[in-house]
Amino acid sequence: MSTNARIAIQLSDKPGYYVSVYHHWDGYPQWLGKTLGEQYNSRKLASDLIDGGDMSSCWTDSIWGEQLPEGQYAPEYYSQRGEDCPPQLATTTEELFEQCDNCGAEYVYIYTPDHGWVGHSVYDYLSNQYQSATLAN
């Protein structure tokens, strides 16, 4: 079974405007949080990742059954198999968490101007037990 997540970028220095995408596999902090912090550790890299739209995985060695060359990794976007799943805009933090809830995301990872990647448990936010963790960049 998958651990779904959303990956987002905060668009300004104040929370409230976000662009995000769905991420299907391994959305828990020990994998997706770590991978984002290690492989997409700048605003440009985070933005480039999100520009591709919803994805199965952000870091894989095969794209829809086609093995990449040895040692190469890339995102596996749904658009690569013909689906139209562009990034979504949220104009409030509440709207971002609604998008998370609507796609079954357990975690959301937000690239912020001040802290880099910050991870949140969607369940904790929706149940008013809000916690977040700044991920290593």
Side-chain angles (χ1 to χ4, degrees), residues 5 23 72 126:
H23 185 279
Q72 288 190 16
L126 295 175

Side-chain angles (χ1 to χ4, degrees), residues 74-112:
E76 186 175 47
Y77 295 108
Y78 293 122
S79 61
Q80 293 167 314
R81 63 179 190 187
E83 296 181 40
D84 184 23
C85 304
Q88 293 183 353
L89 176 66
T91 58
T92 65
T93 302
E94 290 74 22
E95 184 179 1
L96 175 63
F97 277 89
E98 286 173 17
Q99 292 172 352
C100 293
D101 193 38
N102 291 340
C103 73
E106 296 180 45
Y107 300 96
V108 61
Y109 301 92
I110 304 169
Y111 194 89
T112 67

Side-chain angles (χ1 to χ4, degrees), residues 2 7 9 17-18 31 34 39 46 51-52 54-56 59 64 70-71 74 79 83 88 90 96 110 115 120 127 132:
S2 62
I7 302 171
I9 292 180
Y17 285 89
Y18 307 92
W31 191 85
K34 181 179 178 189
Q39 305 302 328
D51 283 348
D54 292 353
M55 66 193 80
S56 178
W59 194 251
W64 304 115
E70 181 73 28
S79 61
E83 296 181 40
Q88 293 183 353
L96 175 63
I110 304 169
H115 303 291
H120 303 278
S127 63
S132 67

Side-chain angles (χ1 to χ4, degrees), residues 46-73:
S47 180
D48 289 348
L49 175 67
I50 287 173
D51 283 348
D54 292 353
M55 66 193 80
S56 178
S57 179
C58 71
W59 194 251
T60 184
D61 63 359
S62 66
I63 305 297
W64 304 115
E66 297 292 322
Q67 192 69 34
L68 295 174
E70 181 73 28
Q72 288 190 16
Y73 295 84

Side-chain angles (χ1 to χ4, degrees), residues 1 14 26 35 79 83 124 137:
M1 199 159 155
K14 295 184 291 184
D26 300 323
T35 301
S79 61
E83 296 181 40
D124 289 346
N137 297 3

